[in-house]
Amino acid sequence: MDESGNDIDVLIAGAGPVGLAAAIELGQRGIRCLVVERNDRVGYAPRAKTTNVRTREHLRRWGIAGKLRAASPIPPDYPANVVFATRMNGPELARFGNALNGSRARNDMYSEEAQWVPQYVLEEVLRQHASSLPGVAVRFNTELVSFADDGRAVTAELRDVRSGAAIRARSAFLIGADGARSTVREAIGARMLGEGAYSRNFNIIFRAPDLAARHKHGPAIMYWMVNEDVPSVLGPMDEDGLWFFMATKLANDVDPETVEPAELIRRGTGLADLEIEVVGRDPWVAHRLVADRYEKGRVFLAGDACHLHPPFGGFGMNMGIGDAVDLGWKMAAVLQGWGGPGLLATYGIERRRVHERTIAEAVINYGAVGNQLVRPGLEDPGPLGDATRREVGEIIEATKLREFRTLGIVLGMRYEDSPIIVPDGSEPPADHFMLYTPSAHPGCLAPHLWLADGSSLYDHFGQGFTLLATTGDLAETVQLMAGAERLGIPLKVLAPGDRRLRGRYGARFALIRPDQHVAWRGDALPGDAAALLARVTGAIGKGAA
Ligand SMILES: Cc1cc2nc3c(=O)[nH]c(=O)nc-3n(C[C@H](O)[C@H](O)[C@H](O)COP(=O)(O)OP(=O)(O)OC[C@H]3O[C@@H](n4cnc5c(N)ncnc54)[C@H](O)[C@@H]3O)c2cc1C
């Protein structure tokens, strides 16, 4: 117990990817966290496979990007192809390379490529790292039952699910990263608004060691089966011939509980005699829902607890990890005393816009799955069938490209309307779902560069704020540094001496936040350094600085 009577600083409900990411973001900053998880381990969800560029950049910042690369059962140089075909034994219709920017080619726009890796592997890498941090404890078989926020602290009632024993924990804050059926969301009276349960789908995890050799489409991360019978998506999941299979938009008269999974896979793939061992079944429904509030008092929601949408584009978990990062550095700043009273309120303001923009994209992607792409006669032999296949191939190329070229969504999200971002009067870069335009317009992600020594510019940023002097001129930075020191704000001054930076950032100086977004930029540092620092840390409102 500390002097304020708290056992810990932050209680996190849920050891899914989002709860674990929050624990890491906080724990790396020396904050004491307890993560409680009702399951006996991580990794029950065989759902996400796309760990996107931005999430991997966070992993790099946490020092575990290499660990995830090494841990993945899918080799990192496995081709990031997506193939569309009528069936696994049928003709190809279209293909996309470097899907989701998963190819291991260096690109100046980002410091890490995306990775195709099962969610359970990522969760275990996150768990190991979280548990290795002093001050972070992950407690399994422990459920958050209820809590009370008295304005000074949150007192939670926990339950050991094996013994039934009740445990009480008092913390400064509570994060509800407890997924789609969030107890925390319910308790703070938040409601999910939008369209719920608008279509049913069925995922199957299965082992078929022969499958890779039973088709001629070559290695790919996803194979989309476009046929009238069982429109579906499948792809490699793990070693030893483990695959996932997803039947999309089941007809209303199909009960997933009664469906014979192996039969569905054989029909969808066209491989009637494929040896299949069904390992898991996971029916899921598509939602388009966002919580009407993300916080109440000392309690905050993150991840699936406050947003749910179809998984097409691979955004859900990744966006939740983004929530954990945004909330994590701000909560740490408040607990360390340098975050102002307005800082935590910006979490909801900043993330809601990202959620709405990303979810809209996921819903568009879900509007063009195999069920919509199929045309009568698609599998007919002969020239007429060929013509239909060519036509459908062209439709796929036109409609599906955006699902696999997602940098505009993934790196182009920005916080320009946030009260802790200082506008500079410039025009923001184009807001495009596919195309990402690196820009240091305040609120945008700091433009990335590979430096001459082979390191990433991001590797040189500090854990707190970074003042980037793009022309290497450090004389003027003294006042800001002194101001930060006085206020206890962690600030690193960085002058990598790369001539490209001035053009890339469009200014001599840029003040970059702990989450690598630009808070302010200018050709001269403001005379009142304290006002700028107060603004970007939420100590004073808009209008100052
Ligand atoms: C078919 C499918 C494919 C997907 N593919 C992708 C993809 O490729 N990329 C992507 O980014 N996203 C993908 N997603 C979405 C992704 O799986 C989720 O967004 C992600 O799991 C959300 O993480 P979370 O930590 O918020 O919640 P969860 O993963 O649901 O974790 C919440 C945890 O909280 C625990 N919990 C709940 N209540 C309590 C309580 N009261 N006390 C203690 N513990 C509690 C639960 O046991 C659980 O472990 C996919 C989803 C589906 C359905």
PDB file of all heavy atoms in Angstrom, residues 14-19 36-39 47-50 119 142-144 177-179 183 203 246 284 303-304 311 314-318, ligand 1:
ATOM      1  N   GLY A  14      -8.787  -7.779 -17.671  1.00  0.00           N
ATOM      2  CA  GLY A  14      -8.647  -8.447 -18.970  1.00  0.00           C
ATOM      3  C   GLY A  14      -7.198  -8.510 -19.437  1.00  0.00           C
ATOM      4  O   GLY A  14      -6.547  -7.468 -19.575  1.00  0.00           O
ATOM      5  N   ALA A  15      -6.715  -9.739 -19.640  1.00  0.00           N
ATOM      6  CA  ALA A  15      -5.358  -9.933 -20.181  1.00  0.00           C
ATOM      7  C   ALA A  15      -5.446 -10.356 -21.637  1.00  0.00           C
ATOM      8  O   ALA A  15      -4.758 -11.268 -22.084  1.00  0.00           O
ATOM      9  CB  ALA A  15      -4.584 -10.949 -19.361  1.00  0.00           C
ATOM     10  N   GLY A  16      -6.317  -9.701 -22.398  1.00  0.00           N
ATOM     11  CA  GLY A  16      -6.300  -9.840 -23.855  1.00  0.00           C
ATOM     12  C   GLY A  16      -5.175  -8.944 -24.368  1.00  0.00           C
ATOM     13  O   GLY A  16      -4.414  -8.366 -23.581  1.00  0.00           O
ATOM     14  N   PRO A  17      -5.059  -8.823 -25.694  1.00  0.00           N
ATOM     15  CA  PRO A  17      -3.975  -7.994 -26.225  1.00  0.00           C
ATOM     16  C   PRO A  17      -4.012  -6.552 -25.724  1.00  0.00           C
ATOM     17  O   PRO A  17      -2.963  -5.936 -25.525  1.00  0.00           O
ATOM     18  CB  PRO A  17      -4.190  -8.058 -27.745  1.00  0.00           C
ATOM     19  CG  PRO A  17      -5.546  -8.656 -27.955  1.00  0.00           C
ATOM     20  CD  PRO A  17      -5.880  -9.440 -26.747  1.00  0.00           C
ATOM     21  N   VAL A  18      -5.218  -6.037 -25.488  1.00  0.00           N
ATOM     22  CA  VAL A  18      -5.329  -4.622 -25.109  1.00  0.00           C
ATOM     23  C   VAL A  18      -4.933  -4.413 -23.641  1.00  0.00           C
ATOM     24  O   VAL A  18      -4.161  -3.494 -23.316  1.00  0.00           O
ATOM     25  CB  VAL A  18      -6.755  -4.111 -25.412  1.00  0.00           C
ATOM     26  CG1 VAL A  18      -6.931  -2.675 -24.956  1.00  0.00           C
ATOM     27  CG2 VAL A  18      -7.032  -4.241 -26.915  1.00  0.00           C
ATOM     28  N   GLY A  19      -5.413  -5.273 -22.758  1.00  0.00           N
ATOM     29  CA  GLY A  19      -5.037  -5.158 -21.347  1.00  0.00           C
ATOM     30  C   GLY A  19      -3.533  -5.336 -21.165  1.00  0.00           C
ATOM     31  O   GLY A  19      -2.897  -4.607 -20.393  1.00  0.00           O
ATOM     32  N   VAL A  36      -5.940  -8.421 -14.118  1.00  0.00           N
ATOM     33  CA  VAL A  36      -6.689  -9.607 -13.688  1.00  0.00           C
ATOM     34  C   VAL A  36      -7.406 -10.219 -14.884  1.00  0.00           C
ATOM     35  O   VAL A  36      -7.998  -9.516 -15.698  1.00  0.00           O
ATOM     36  CB  VAL A  36      -7.700  -9.292 -12.550  1.00  0.00           C
ATOM     37  CG1 VAL A  36      -6.965  -8.999 -11.259  1.00  0.00           C
ATOM     38  CG2 VAL A  36      -8.650  -8.172 -12.909  1.00  0.00           C
ATOM     39  N   GLU A  37      -7.323 -11.527 -14.967  1.00  0.00           N
ATOM     40  CA  GLU A  37      -7.878 -12.257 -16.114  1.00  0.00           C
ATOM     41  C   GLU A  37      -8.633 -13.468 -15.577  1.00  0.00           C
ATOM     42  O   GLU A  37      -8.076 -14.257 -14.821  1.00  0.00           O
ATOM     43  CB  GLU A  37      -6.735 -12.679 -17.048  1.00  0.00           C
ATOM     44  CG  GLU A  37      -7.110 -13.688 -18.121  1.00  0.00           C
ATOM     45  CD  GLU A  37      -8.228 -13.231 -19.046  1.00  0.00           C
ATOM     46  OE1 GLU A  37      -8.113 -12.165 -19.646  1.00  0.00           O
ATOM     47  OE2 GLU A  37      -9.255 -13.954 -19.129  1.00  0.00           O
ATOM     48  N   ARG A  38      -9.868 -13.591 -16.017  1.00  0.00           N
ATOM     49  CA  ARG A  38     -10.677 -14.696 -15.471  1.00  0.00           C
ATOM     50  C   ARG A  38     -10.254 -16.057 -16.037  1.00  0.00           C
ATOM     51  O   ARG A  38     -10.415 -17.071 -15.375  1.00  0.00           O
ATOM     52  CB  ARG A  38     -12.168 -14.442 -15.661  1.00  0.00           C
ATOM     53  CG  ARG A  38     -12.671 -14.425 -17.067  1.00  0.00           C
ATOM     54  CD  ARG A  38     -14.163 -14.811 -17.124  1.00  0.00           C
ATOM     55  NE  ARG A  38     -15.032 -13.833 -16.503  1.00  0.00           N
ATOM     56  CZ  ARG A  38     -15.822 -12.997 -17.169  1.00  0.00           C
ATOM     57  NH1 ARG A  38     -15.801 -12.993 -18.495  1.00  0.00           N
ATOM     58  NH2 ARG A  38     -16.623 -12.176 -16.542  1.00  0.00           N
ATOM     59  N   ASN A  39      -9.681 -16.082 -17.216  1.00  0.00           N
ATOM     60  CA  ASN A  39      -9.179 -17.342 -17.763  1.00  0.00           C
ATOM     61  C   ASN A  39      -7.902 -17.776 -17.033  1.00  0.00           C
ATOM     62  O   ASN A  39      -7.277 -16.976 -16.341  1.00  0.00           O
ATOM     63  CB  ASN A  39      -8.872 -17.195 -19.256  1.00  0.00           C
ATOM     64  CG  ASN A  39     -10.143 -17.089 -20.083  1.00  0.00           C
ATOM     65  OD1 ASN A  39     -11.201 -17.570 -19.675  1.00  0.00           O
ATOM     66  ND2 ASN A  39     -10.050 -16.450 -21.229  1.00  0.00           N
ATOM     67  N   ARG A  47      -8.210 -15.635 -33.053  1.00  0.00           N
ATOM     68  CA  ARG A  47      -8.880 -14.740 -33.996  1.00  0.00           C
ATOM     69  C   ARG A  47      -7.915 -13.942 -34.869  1.00  0.00           C
ATOM     70  O   ARG A  47      -7.748 -14.227 -36.049  1.00  0.00           O
ATOM     71  CB  ARG A  47      -9.837 -13.838 -33.223  1.00  0.00           C
ATOM     72  CG  ARG A  47     -11.003 -14.659 -32.674  1.00  0.00           C
ATOM     73  CD  ARG A  47     -12.047 -13.829 -32.026  1.00  0.00           C
ATOM     74  NE  ARG A  47     -13.330 -14.539 -32.035  1.00  0.00           N
ATOM     75  CZ  ARG A  47     -14.436 -14.080 -31.509  1.00  0.00           C
ATOM     76  NH1 ARG A  47     -14.439 -12.909 -30.913  1.00  0.00           N
ATOM     77  NH2 ARG A  47     -15.539 -14.776 -31.577  1.00  0.00           N
ATOM     78  N   ALA A  48      -7.267 -12.908 -34.306  1.00  0.00           N
ATOM     79  CA  ALA A  48      -6.454 -12.022 -35.148  1.00  0.00           C
ATOM     80  C   ALA A  48      -5.232 -12.745 -35.702  1.00  0.00           C
ATOM     81  O   ALA A  48      -4.613 -13.567 -35.029  1.00  0.00           O
ATOM     82  CB  ALA A  48      -6.022 -10.801 -34.348  1.00  0.00           C
ATOM     83  N   LYS A  49      -4.917 -12.404 -36.929  1.00  0.00           N
ATOM     84  CA  LYS A  49      -3.657 -12.852 -37.549  1.00  0.00           C
ATOM     85  C   LYS A  49      -2.837 -11.639 -37.981  1.00  0.00           C
ATOM     86  O   LYS A  49      -1.624 -11.685 -38.034  1.00  0.00           O
ATOM     87  CB  LYS A  49      -3.929 -13.722 -38.793  1.00  0.00           C
ATOM     88  CG  LYS A  49      -4.130 -15.193 -38.529  1.00  0.00           C
ATOM     89  CD  LYS A  49      -5.492 -15.522 -37.971  1.00  0.00           C
ATOM     90  CE  LYS A  49      -6.599 -15.183 -38.935  1.00  0.00           C
ATOM     91  NZ  LYS A  49      -7.941 -15.386 -38.327  1.00  0.00           N
ATOM     92  N   THR A  50      -3.527 -10.543 -38.289  1.00  0.00           N
ATOM     93  CA  THR A  50      -2.816  -9.350 -38.749  1.00  0.00           C
ATOM     94  C   THR A  50      -2.350  -8.512 -37.571  1.00  0.00           C
ATOM     95  O   THR A  50      -3.159  -7.877 -36.891  1.00  0.00           O
ATOM     96  CB  THR A  50      -3.750  -8.470 -39.612  1.00  0.00           C
ATOM     97  OG1 THR A  50      -4.282  -9.274 -40.646  1.00  0.00           O
ATOM     98  CG2 THR A  50      -3.001  -7.290 -40.201  1.00  0.00           C
ATOM     99  N   GLN A 119      -3.072 -14.544 -32.961  1.00  0.00           N
ATOM    100  CA  GLN A 119      -3.289 -13.682 -31.790  1.00  0.00           C
ATOM    101  C   GLN A 119      -2.734 -14.323 -30.520  1.00  0.00           C
ATOM    102  O   GLN A 119      -2.190 -13.634 -29.655  1.00  0.00           O
ATOM    103  CB  GLN A 119      -4.794 -13.396 -31.654  1.00  0.00           C
ATOM    104  CG  GLN A 119      -5.143 -12.471 -30.507  1.00  0.00           C
ATOM    105  CD  GLN A 119      -6.585 -11.970 -30.565  1.00  0.00           C
ATOM    106  OE1 GLN A 119      -7.189 -11.895 -31.622  1.00  0.00           O
ATOM    107  NE2 GLN A 119      -7.146 -11.614 -29.421  1.00  0.00           N
ATOM    108  N   THR A 142      -8.732 -14.900 -12.102  1.00  0.00           N
ATOM    109  CA  THR A 142      -9.191 -13.827 -11.212  1.00  0.00           C
ATOM    110  C   THR A 142     -10.123 -12.915 -11.988  1.00  0.00           C
ATOM    111  O   THR A 142      -9.767 -12.419 -13.063  1.00  0.00           O
ATOM    112  CB  THR A 142      -7.987 -13.018 -10.682  1.00  0.00           C
ATOM    113  OG1 THR A 142      -7.043 -13.929 -10.120  1.00  0.00           O
ATOM    114  CG2 THR A 142      -8.424 -12.010  -9.634  1.00  0.00           C
ATOM    115  N   GLU A 143     -11.288 -12.724 -11.405  1.00  0.00           N
ATOM    116  CA  GLU A 143     -12.335 -11.996 -12.114  1.00  0.00           C
ATOM    117  C   GLU A 143     -12.603 -10.673 -11.413  1.00  0.00           C
ATOM    118  O   GLU A 143     -12.626 -10.624 -10.183  1.00  0.00           O
ATOM    119  CB  GLU A 143     -13.584 -12.862 -12.037  1.00  0.00           C
ATOM    120  CG  GLU A 143     -14.695 -12.444 -12.909  1.00  0.00           C
ATOM    121  CD  GLU A 143     -15.801 -13.497 -12.873  1.00  0.00           C
ATOM    122  OE1 GLU A 143     -16.116 -13.993 -11.775  1.00  0.00           O
ATOM    123  OE2 GLU A 143     -16.326 -13.796 -13.942  1.00  0.00           O
ATOM    124  N   LEU A 144     -12.807  -9.650 -12.209  1.00  0.00           N
ATOM    125  CA  LEU A 144     -13.301  -8.398 -11.631  1.00  0.00           C
ATOM    126  C   LEU A 144     -14.807  -8.544 -11.475  1.00  0.00           C
ATOM    127  O   LEU A 144     -15.502  -8.806 -12.453  1.00  0.00           O
ATOM    128  CB  LEU A 144     -12.997  -7.219 -12.560  1.00  0.00           C
ATOM    129  CG  LEU A 144     -13.647  -5.907 -12.129  1.00  0.00           C
ATOM    130  CD1 LEU A 144     -12.883  -5.255 -10.987  1.00  0.00           C
ATOM    131  CD2 LEU A 144     -13.754  -4.947 -13.304  1.00  0.00           C
ATOM    132  N   ALA A 177     -10.383  -3.445 -19.988  1.00  0.00           N
ATOM    133  CA  ALA A 177      -9.958  -4.035 -21.275  1.00  0.00           C
ATOM    134  C   ALA A 177     -10.552  -5.430 -21.304  1.00  0.00           C
ATOM    135  O   ALA A 177      -9.882  -6.404 -21.626  1.00  0.00           O
ATOM    136  CB  ALA A 177      -8.436  -4.062 -21.374  1.00  0.00           C
ATOM    137  N   ASP A 178     -11.808  -5.513 -20.921  1.00  0.00           N
ATOM    138  CA  ASP A 178     -12.443  -6.809 -20.684  1.00  0.00           C
ATOM    139  C   ASP A 178     -13.364  -7.238 -21.826  1.00  0.00           C
ATOM    140  O   ASP A 178     -14.302  -8.011 -21.617  1.00  0.00           O
ATOM    141  CB  ASP A 178     -13.156  -6.825 -19.325  1.00  0.00           C
ATOM    142  CG  ASP A 178     -14.060  -5.620 -19.091  1.00  0.00           C
ATOM    143  OD1 ASP A 178     -13.965  -4.654 -19.873  1.00  0.00           O
ATOM    144  OD2 ASP A 178     -14.847  -5.636 -18.141  1.00  0.00           O
ATOM    145  N   GLY A 179     -13.059  -6.746 -23.020  1.00  0.00           N
ATOM    146  CA  GLY A 179     -13.653  -7.322 -24.222  1.00  0.00           C
ATOM    147  C   GLY A 179     -15.116  -6.969 -24.471  1.00  0.00           C
ATOM    148  O   GLY A 179     -15.713  -6.106 -23.817  1.00  0.00           O
ATOM    149  N   THR A 183     -17.716  -6.021 -18.353  1.00  0.00           N
ATOM    150  CA  THR A 183     -18.349  -5.745 -17.053  1.00  0.00           C
ATOM    151  C   THR A 183     -18.153  -4.281 -16.690  1.00  0.00           C
ATOM    152  O   THR A 183     -19.043  -3.625 -16.134  1.00  0.00           O
ATOM    153  CB  THR A 183     -17.634  -6.604 -15.958  1.00  0.00           C
ATOM    154  OG1 THR A 183     -17.691  -7.963 -16.339  1.00  0.00           O
ATOM    155  CG2 THR A 183     -18.235  -6.409 -14.597  1.00  0.00           C
ATOM    156  N   ASN A 203     -16.109 -19.338 -37.798  1.00  0.00           N
ATOM    157  CA  ASN A 203     -14.681 -19.639 -37.965  1.00  0.00           C
ATOM    158  C   ASN A 203     -14.380 -21.045 -37.474  1.00  0.00           C
ATOM    159  O   ASN A 203     -14.926 -21.476 -36.454  1.00  0.00           O
ATOM    160  CB  ASN A 203     -13.834 -18.659 -37.149  1.00  0.00           C
ATOM    161  CG  ASN A 203     -13.376 -17.492 -37.986  1.00  0.00           C
ATOM    162  OD1 ASN A 203     -14.101 -17.078 -38.887  1.00  0.00           O
ATOM    163  ND2 ASN A 203     -12.208 -16.969 -37.697  1.00  0.00           N
ATOM    164  N   MET A 246     -13.015 -19.404 -42.552  1.00  0.00           N
ATOM    165  CA  MET A 246     -14.100 -18.506 -42.147  1.00  0.00           C
ATOM    166  C   MET A 246     -15.198 -18.511 -43.189  1.00  0.00           C
ATOM    167  O   MET A 246     -14.964 -18.129 -44.341  1.00  0.00           O
ATOM    168  CB  MET A 246     -13.540 -17.081 -42.004  1.00  0.00           C
ATOM    169  CG  MET A 246     -14.557 -16.039 -41.598  1.00  0.00           C
ATOM    170  SD  MET A 246     -13.975 -14.352 -41.935  1.00  0.00           S
ATOM    171  CE  MET A 246     -12.665 -14.172 -40.762  1.00  0.00           C
ATOM    172  N   TRP A 284     -19.001 -16.180 -34.825  1.00  0.00           N
ATOM    173  CA  TRP A 284     -18.944 -14.778 -34.396  1.00  0.00           C
ATOM    174  C   TRP A 284     -19.939 -13.964 -35.211  1.00  0.00           C
ATOM    175  O   TRP A 284     -20.294 -14.349 -36.327  1.00  0.00           O
ATOM    176  CB  TRP A 284     -17.534 -14.197 -34.515  1.00  0.00           C
ATOM    177  CG  TRP A 284     -16.935 -14.268 -35.890  1.00  0.00           C
ATOM    178  CD1 TRP A 284     -16.254 -15.321 -36.427  1.00  0.00           C
ATOM    179  CD2 TRP A 284     -16.990 -13.263 -36.916  1.00  0.00           C
ATOM    180  NE1 TRP A 284     -15.874 -15.041 -37.706  1.00  0.00           N
ATOM    181  CE2 TRP A 284     -16.299 -13.779 -38.032  1.00  0.00           C
ATOM    182  CE3 TRP A 284     -17.529 -11.972 -36.989  1.00  0.00           C
ATOM    183  CZ2 TRP A 284     -16.156 -13.063 -39.210  1.00  0.00           C
ATOM    184  CZ3 TRP A 284     -17.390 -11.257 -38.157  1.00  0.00           C
ATOM    185  CH2 TRP A 284     -16.710 -11.799 -39.254  1.00  0.00           C
ATOM    186  N   GLY A 303     -10.199  -0.964 -26.169  1.00  0.00           N
ATOM    187  CA  GLY A 303     -10.320  -2.165 -26.991  1.00  0.00           C
ATOM    188  C   GLY A 303     -11.767  -2.547 -27.269  1.00  0.00           C
ATOM    189  O   GLY A 303     -12.657  -1.687 -27.347  1.00  0.00           O
ATOM    190  N   ASP A 304     -11.998  -3.859 -27.412  1.00  0.00           N
ATOM    191  CA  ASP A 304     -13.344  -4.343 -27.742  1.00  0.00           C
ATOM    192  C   ASP A 304     -14.380  -3.904 -26.712  1.00  0.00           C
ATOM    193  O   ASP A 304     -15.577  -3.912 -27.004  1.00  0.00           O
ATOM    194  CB  ASP A 304     -13.349  -5.879 -27.819  1.00  0.00           C
ATOM    195  CG  ASP A 304     -12.904  -6.388 -29.188  1.00  0.00           C
ATOM    196  OD1 ASP A 304     -12.301  -5.600 -29.945  1.00  0.00           O
ATOM    197  OD2 ASP A 304     -13.138  -7.582 -29.499  1.00  0.00           O
ATOM    198  N   PRO A 311     -14.043  -7.928 -38.793  1.00  0.00           N
ATOM    199  CA  PRO A 311     -12.577  -8.022 -38.759  1.00  0.00           C
ATOM    200  C   PRO A 311     -11.870  -7.790 -40.098  1.00  0.00           C
ATOM    201  O   PRO A 311     -10.668  -8.018 -40.195  1.00  0.00           O
ATOM    202  CB  PRO A 311     -12.352  -9.451 -38.262  1.00  0.00           C
ATOM    203  CG  PRO A 311     -13.546 -10.219 -38.692  1.00  0.00           C
ATOM    204  CD  PRO A 311     -14.693  -9.245 -38.665  1.00  0.00           C
ATOM    205  N   GLY A 314      -8.335  -6.242 -40.623  1.00  0.00           N
ATOM    206  CA  GLY A 314      -7.492  -6.583 -39.471  1.00  0.00           C
ATOM    207  C   GLY A 314      -7.248  -5.408 -38.548  1.00  0.00           C
ATOM    208  O   GLY A 314      -6.119  -5.152 -38.123  1.00  0.00           O
ATOM    209  N   PHE A 315      -8.332  -4.692 -38.177  1.00  0.00           N
ATOM    210  CA  PHE A 315      -8.130  -3.467 -37.414  1.00  0.00           C
ATOM    211  C   PHE A 315      -8.415  -3.586 -35.912  1.00  0.00           C
ATOM    212  O   PHE A 315      -7.917  -2.795 -35.122  1.00  0.00           O
ATOM    213  CB  PHE A 315      -9.045  -2.351 -37.953  1.00  0.00           C
ATOM    214  CG  PHE A 315      -8.791  -1.972 -39.391  1.00  0.00           C
ATOM    215  CD1 PHE A 315      -9.823  -1.964 -40.320  1.00  0.00           C
ATOM    216  CD2 PHE A 315      -7.524  -1.599 -39.808  1.00  0.00           C
ATOM    217  CE1 PHE A 315      -9.604  -1.599 -41.638  1.00  0.00           C
ATOM    218  CE2 PHE A 315      -7.294  -1.229 -41.128  1.00  0.00           C
ATOM    219  CZ  PHE A 315      -8.329  -1.225 -42.041  1.00  0.00           C
ATOM    220  N   GLY A 316      -9.284  -4.533 -35.500  1.00  0.00           N
ATOM    221  CA  GLY A 316      -9.860  -4.491 -34.143  1.00  0.00           C
ATOM    222  C   GLY A 316      -8.831  -4.522 -33.034  1.00  0.00           C
ATOM    223  O   GLY A 316      -8.765  -3.607 -32.200  1.00  0.00           O
ATOM    224  N   MET A 317      -8.048  -5.568 -32.988  1.00  0.00           N
ATOM    225  CA  MET A 317      -7.041  -5.697 -31.938  1.00  0.00           C
ATOM    226  C   MET A 317      -6.003  -4.577 -32.060  1.00  0.00           C
ATOM    227  O   MET A 317      -5.597  -3.972 -31.062  1.00  0.00           O
ATOM    228  CB  MET A 317      -6.362  -7.056 -32.068  1.00  0.00           C
ATOM    229  CG  MET A 317      -5.182  -7.234 -31.172  1.00  0.00           C
ATOM    230  SD  MET A 317      -4.269  -8.719 -31.599  1.00  0.00           S
ATOM    231  CE  MET A 317      -3.388  -8.202 -33.069  1.00  0.00           C
ATOM    232  N   ASN A 318      -5.599  -4.306 -33.288  1.00  0.00           N
ATOM    233  CA  ASN A 318      -4.580  -3.276 -33.501  1.00  0.00           C
ATOM    234  C   ASN A 318      -5.058  -1.917 -32.997  1.00  0.00           C
ATOM    235  O   ASN A 318      -4.309  -1.177 -32.368  1.00  0.00           O
ATOM    236  CB  ASN A 318      -4.249  -3.197 -34.998  1.00  0.00           C
ATOM    237  CG  ASN A 318      -3.476  -4.427 -35.466  1.00  0.00           C
ATOM    238  OD1 ASN A 318      -2.380  -4.669 -35.004  1.00  0.00           O
ATOM    239  ND2 ASN A 318      -4.068  -5.210 -36.354  1.00  0.00           N
TER     240      ASN A 318
HETATM  241  C1  LIG B   1     -12.735 -13.854 -36.845  1.00  0.00           C
HETATM  242  C2  LIG B   1     -11.997 -12.693 -36.274  1.00  0.00           C
HETATM  243  C3  LIG B   1     -10.762 -12.333 -36.806  1.00  0.00           C
HETATM  244  C4  LIG B   1     -10.079 -11.233 -36.290  1.00  0.00           C
HETATM  245  N1  LIG B   1      -8.905 -10.861 -36.875  1.00  0.00           N
HETATM  246  C5  LIG B   1      -8.281  -9.739 -36.449  1.00  0.00           C
HETATM  247  C6  LIG B   1      -7.051  -9.312 -37.051  1.00  0.00           C
HETATM  248  O1  LIG B   1      -6.514  -9.961 -37.956  1.00  0.00           O
HETATM  249  N2  LIG B   1      -6.453  -8.182 -36.570  1.00  0.00           N
HETATM  250  C7  LIG B   1      -7.005  -7.449 -35.559  1.00  0.00           C
HETATM  251  O2  LIG B   1      -6.439  -6.412 -35.183  1.00  0.00           O
HETATM  252  N3  LIG B   1      -8.156  -7.849 -34.955  1.00  0.00           N
HETATM  253  C8  LIG B   1      -8.792  -8.963 -35.358  1.00  0.00           C
HETATM  254  N4  LIG B   1      -9.938  -9.381 -34.731  1.00  0.00           N
HETATM  255  C9  LIG B   1     -10.424  -8.643 -33.544  1.00  0.00           C
HETATM  256  C10 LIG B   1      -9.653  -9.043 -32.280  1.00  0.00           C
HETATM  257  O3  LIG B   1      -9.715 -10.429 -32.082  1.00  0.00           O
HETATM  258  C11 LIG B   1     -10.222  -8.289 -31.071  1.00  0.00           C
HETATM  259  O4  LIG B   1     -10.377  -6.937 -31.429  1.00  0.00           O
HETATM  260  C12 LIG B   1      -9.291  -8.382 -29.852  1.00  0.00           C
HETATM  261  O5  LIG B   1      -9.275  -9.672 -29.303  1.00  0.00           O
HETATM  262  C13 LIG B   1      -9.760  -7.422 -28.767  1.00  0.00           C
HETATM  263  O6  LIG B   1      -8.841  -7.454 -27.713  1.00  0.00           O
HETATM  264  P1  LIG B   1      -9.288  -7.015 -26.243  1.00  0.00           P
HETATM  265  O7  LIG B   1      -8.068  -7.204 -25.394  1.00  0.00           O
HETATM  266  O8  LIG B   1      -9.944  -5.687 -26.295  1.00  0.00           O
HETATM  267  O9  LIG B   1     -10.429  -8.037 -25.831  1.00  0.00           O
HETATM  268  P2  LIG B   1     -10.381  -9.617 -25.670  1.00  0.00           P
HETATM  269  O10 LIG B   1      -9.390 -10.205 -26.598  1.00  0.00           O
HETATM  270  O11 LIG B   1     -11.781 -10.071 -25.748  1.00  0.00           O
HETATM  271  O12 LIG B   1      -9.826  -9.818 -24.187  1.00  0.00           O
HETATM  272  C14 LIG B   1     -10.601  -9.482 -23.074  1.00  0.00           C
HETATM  273  C15 LIG B   1     -10.164 -10.374 -21.909  1.00  0.00           C
HETATM  274  O13 LIG B   1     -10.851  -9.967 -20.732  1.00  0.00           O
HETATM  275  C16 LIG B   1     -11.195 -11.106 -19.977  1.00  0.00           C
HETATM  276  N5  LIG B   1     -12.304 -10.720 -19.107  1.00  0.00           N
HETATM  277  C17 LIG B   1     -13.570 -10.386 -19.473  1.00  0.00           C
HETATM  278  N6  LIG B   1     -14.288 -10.018 -18.402  1.00  0.00           N
HETATM  279  C18 LIG B   1     -13.465 -10.128 -17.324  1.00  0.00           C
HETATM  280  C19 LIG B   1     -13.635  -9.886 -15.940  1.00  0.00           C
HETATM  281  N7  LIG B   1     -14.794  -9.433 -15.437  1.00  0.00           N
HETATM  282  N8  LIG B   1     -12.595 -10.106 -15.126  1.00  0.00           N
HETATM  283  C20 LIG B   1     -11.403 -10.553 -15.611  1.00  0.00           C
HETATM  284  N9  LIG B   1     -11.192 -10.799 -16.920  1.00  0.00           N
HETATM  285  C21 LIG B   1     -12.207 -10.577 -17.765  1.00  0.00           C
HETATM  286  C22 LIG B   1     -11.547 -12.137 -21.022  1.00  0.00           C
HETATM  287  O14 LIG B   1     -11.436 -13.441 -20.489  1.00  0.00           O
HETATM  288  C23 LIG B   1     -10.517 -11.846 -22.100  1.00  0.00           C
HETATM  289  O15 LIG B   1      -9.344 -12.615 -21.958  1.00  0.00           O
HETATM  290  C24 LIG B   1     -10.637 -10.483 -35.223  1.00  0.00           C
HETATM  291  C25 LIG B   1     -11.862 -10.864 -34.675  1.00  0.00           C
HETATM  292  C26 LIG B   1     -12.557 -11.947 -35.206  1.00  0.00           C
HETATM  293  C27 LIG B   1     -13.888 -12.292 -34.643  1.00  0.00           C
END
